[in-house]
Amino acid sequence: MNCVQLLSILVSLCVACVLGSEESSQCCPTGFVPSQSRKNCFCGSMVPKNPLHILDCPDDYQAVLENGFWAGYFESDNETCNEMLLYVGRCPVGFCEIDSNKSQFSWDRGLNLPRSTSNEEITKVVCSHTRTGPLCGQCRQGYGPGINIFLADCVHCETDNLSQVGWLIWMVMEILPLIISLVVVLIGNINLLKGPLNSYLLYAQIINALFPISKYGPIYDAGTGDPRTVIMLTIFSICFSTFGLQFFSIVLPPFCISPNIGAFDQLDIIMLKFGVGIFPLAVLLLILLGHWCFKQGACVRPRIACRECVSGIHCCRRCRVDGCFAGSVTNALTTFYILVFTRLLIYTGGIFNKSEVVSYNGNSKSLVTFQGSMEYFGNPRHIAYCIVSMVIVVILVIPPTLFLLAYPALPRLQSIMAESKNKTLQRLSHLKIWIVFSKPSVQQFVDLFQSSYKDQFRCFAGLGLLLQILMVILWNTLENRGDAYMALAILS
């Protein structure tokens, strides 16, 4: 071997070392995963069970992400180049970008991910143009969530004309109709639970729960102001949304509640709507509390105007608070309870909804679905919202549902316990709670829910509420929308 050959071999070895070190120091493109040696990268679709939801890698070092999924990196995991973990999770409908040739319910095509591992570059491809962050759950800088249409694109609050008077529009088109409907039901002593209208209320609330008016709802609203879309939205609002206490603001394009919405996010909007749903129940309960206070003599007894409002009970023009007024409030309470029931479930599901984002090696993170920047139960504000919503559900949702289911069987149950040879059961059958259940006032209150059913089917009042609970739970727990619709069809 001469000197020239030896020199050539040394040069080749040096070049190989340099190229090898460069290859090992380079990050794998987005959607690709490193080999065990950390020197090569291969397509994420080749990982067993395909946790990254990569459809294919048709071009060199460019992966195709399945429609409806978010992909990105978390800065805390970026220790070294090839230790960067790409996380992938299912996006809330409307938050992520989709292939323009397919609808939001078609997942057989995907998005071409950038080769760069920059979250900023990935977000431009994966998220809609107004969103950013994990699961595309944050509005971009200067944008805020729309108050009137759920799942819509974020709105540039400072420049949007409607957002300049967002509070006023929302009060006039949502809060004012709510107050008017409350007054009408009280004065008219209206009970919407009588007759076949009870079934329609259940149907309308199921429609509201499963097909919310949004950019990706049953009626496509891109905020273009198309007269045909406005007419359809108005008809839908009158026929369905009104019975879920969502009134006419859905006819308008999405708008912020304030031009300075920087402090609000999607969870804040959900809690605000949660409070609006509780408002009529809180007012009616306070009125009943005041009526009880008058009856007990603990308060001053004012004279009020009243009229004949219950068959067989005549009230003079100037009279004391009596059963006439109490009956009207009770009717209103049962009516509004049914109207807000599904709404409370939907917003509770929004607060508790959890999404898992996973990487190719099995690592996972739990995030709040509609606010992906928050770790699930890892943020004090999320914990506080969960506590508030759970307290409301435990008080206003679960007990009435179980009570209406069990009430028709309570007399028979007490009789069986009294005739039992077990002394414990006999003692339980003599508890004062049974006397409370048998009071005429309690029976009349329950009849407001059950009067439209035959005697042998009175438990259907509670069964209808239980059906709505199961539907919302299924809708929030099943990731695949096809499975969710199948389960809901079976329940229906």
Side-chain angles (χ1 to χ4, degrees):
M1 180 181 298
N2 56 32
C3 294
V4 176
Q5 291 176 329
L6 180 59
L7 183 61
S8 176
I9 293 173
L10 290 175
V11 171
S12 300
L13 288 174
C14 290
V15 171
C17 289
V18 171
L19 292 176
S21 63
E22 287 180 353
E23 181 182 18
S24 62
S25 65
Q26 290 177 348
C27 293
C28 288
T30 303
F32 286 74
V33 297
S35 63
Q36 291 184 352
S37 64
R38 304 286 180 178
K39 293 183 178 181
N40 298 308
C41 302
F42 57 91
C43 184
S45 62
M46 299 174 65
V47 179
K49 297 183 180 180
N50 194 13
L52 298 183
H53 293 273
I54 300 299
L55 299 179
D56 195 9
C57 301
D59 300 326
D60 291 340
Y61 297 110
Q62 187 169 33
V64 179
L65 177 69
E66 184 178 347
N67 266 335
F69 284 86
W70 169 85
Y73 297 93
F74 290 90
E75 293 182 1
S76 60
D77 294 326
N78 298 349
E79 297 177 359
T80 61
C81 185
N82 275 336
E83 288 182 356
M84 293 175 62
L85 295 178
L86 178 71
Y87 285 85
V88 174
R90 188 178 292 275
C91 249
V93 175
F95 282 24
C96 287
E97 192 60 77
I98 59 173
D99 177 58
S100 58
N101 295 322
K102 294 291 180 179
S103 72
Q104 67 273 19
F105 298 111
S106 301
W107 312 112
D108 57 332
R109 292 178 65 91
L111 298 171
N112 293 326
L113 293 175
R115 295 180 176 87
S116 170
T117 56
S118 166
N119 272 330
E120 184 178 353
E121 294 297 323
I122 298 173
T123 296
K124 291 179 181 179
V125 175
V126 173
C127 296
S128 63
H129 68 282
T130 62
R131 293 189 172 274
T132 186
L135 298 179
C136 302
Q138 294 174 268
C139 293
R140 290 183 184 273
Q141 186 69 28
Y143 287 78
I147 183 65
N148 57 325
I149 299 180
F150 195 47
L151 300 181
D153 289 337
C154 297
V155 183
H156 198 277
C157 306
E158 294 182 359
T159 59
D160 181 65
N161 292 329
L162 293 177
S163 300
Q164 306 305 310
V165 288
W167 276 107
L168 179 61
I169 295 175
W170 193 59
M171 292 289 291
V172 170
M173 303 194 74
E174 288 294 327
I175 306 301
L176 184 60
L178 177 61
I179 296 175
I180 292 175
S181 62
L182 180 60
V183 173
V184 169
V185 171
L186 274 173
I187 294 177
N189 193 27
I190 298 172
N191 183 9
L192 297 181
L193 304 184
K194 290 182 179 179
L197 186 58
N198 189 16
S199 300
Y200 180 76
L201 285 179
L202 176 61
Y203 171 69
Q205 294 206 350
I206 290 175
I207 293 296
N208 286 325
L210 304 186
F211 302 100
I213 287 292
S214 69
K215 180 179 177 181
Y216 297 93
I219 304 171
Y220 183 84
D221 177 24
T224 59
D226 184 358
R228 294 172 298 179
T229 302
V230 173
I231 292 174
M232 290 298 295
L233 285 170
T234 304
I235 294 174
F236 193 93
S237 174
I238 295 172
C239 295
F240 298 108
S241 298
T242 302
F243 293 101
L245 300 184
Q246 183 180 10
F247 296 95
F248 304 106
S249 66
I250 63 174
V251 178
L252 300 175
F255 62 87
C256 300
I257 200 168
S258 167
N260 302 316
I261 193 98
F264 284 78
D265 56 32
Q266 193 67 65
L267 282 189
D268 296 326
I269 297 299
I270 292 176
M271 286 304 296
L272 181 61
K273 293 190 174 187
F274 204 105
V276 173
I278 295 295
F279 171 74
L281 297 183
V283 170
L284 293 171
L285 288 174
L286 287 175
I287 293 175
L288 283 179
L289 180 62
H291 177 258
W292 175 85
C293 180
F294 288 130
K295 287 189 65 175
Q296 297 300 318
C299 306
V300 179
R301 293 173 176 264
R303 295 182 177 275
I304 63 170
C306 64
R307 60 181 181 76
E308 180 181 355
C309 52
V310 177
S311 178
I313 299 179
H314 297 272
C315 309
C316 60
R317 180 171 297 179
R318 304 288 295 177
C319 64
R320 297 183 183 276
V321 178
D322 57 10
C324 167
F325 180 71
S328 176
V329 177
T330 305
N331 276 341
L333 182 62
T334 55
T335 297
F336 276 92
Y337 178 78
I338 295 299
L339 292 180
V340 306
F341 187 83
T342 303
R343 181 170 180 161
L344 296 181
L345 292 176
I346 293 171
Y347 295 141
T348 301
I351 296 295
F352 279 91
N353 204 316
K354 179 177 70 172
S355 290
E356 295 283 342
V357 292
V358 299
S359 65
Y360 74 92
N361 64 355
N363 286 4
S364 64
K365 294 179 183 289
S366 298
L367 306 177
V368 180
T369 298
F370 296 111
Q371 193 66 38
S373 59
M374 289 186 182
E375 288 195 24
Y376 199 74
F377 277 102
N379 183 286
R381 191 154 55 90
H382 181 239
I383 295 174
Y385 286 170
C386 287
I387 292 174
V388 172
S389 57
M390 181 53 66
V391 168
I392 293 174
V393 167
V394 168
I395 294 175
L396 295 179
V397 174
I398 297 177
T401 302
L402 297 178
F403 182 70
L404 290 175
L405 273 172
Y407 188 80
L410 290 181
R412 177 61 178 164
L413 178 61
Q414 183 186 14
S415 176
I416 293 175
M417 293 172 65
E419 296 172 358
S420 173
K421 296 180 180 181
N422 189 301
K423 293 184 178 180
T424 303
L425 292 179
Q426 290 179 359
R427 293 193 188 97
L428 291 175
S429 68
H430 292 90
L431 292 176
K432 292 184 178 181
I433 190 67
W434 299 104
I435 300 176
V436 175
F437 289 156
S438 60
K439 283 186 175 181
S441 58
V442 176
Q443 292 178 352
Q444 292 172 6
F445 182 74
V446 175
D447 283 342
L448 294 175
F449 289 97
Q450 300 178 343
S451 60
S452 60
Y453 301 98
K454 295 182 179 179
D455 290 341
Q456 62 268 35
F457 300 116
R458 282 181 169 260
C459 66
F460 276 33
L463 193 61
L465 299 181
L466 182 62
L467 177 65
Q468 294 181 61
I469 294 174
L470 293 177
M471 285 186 168
V472 174
I473 290 175
L474 284 173
W475 190 247
N476 283 279
T477 54
L478 293 178
E479 290 188 354
N480 188 296
R481 284 291 176 256
D483 295 340
Y485 278 119
M486 179 64 69
L488 294 175
I490 295 173
L491 279 178
S492 301

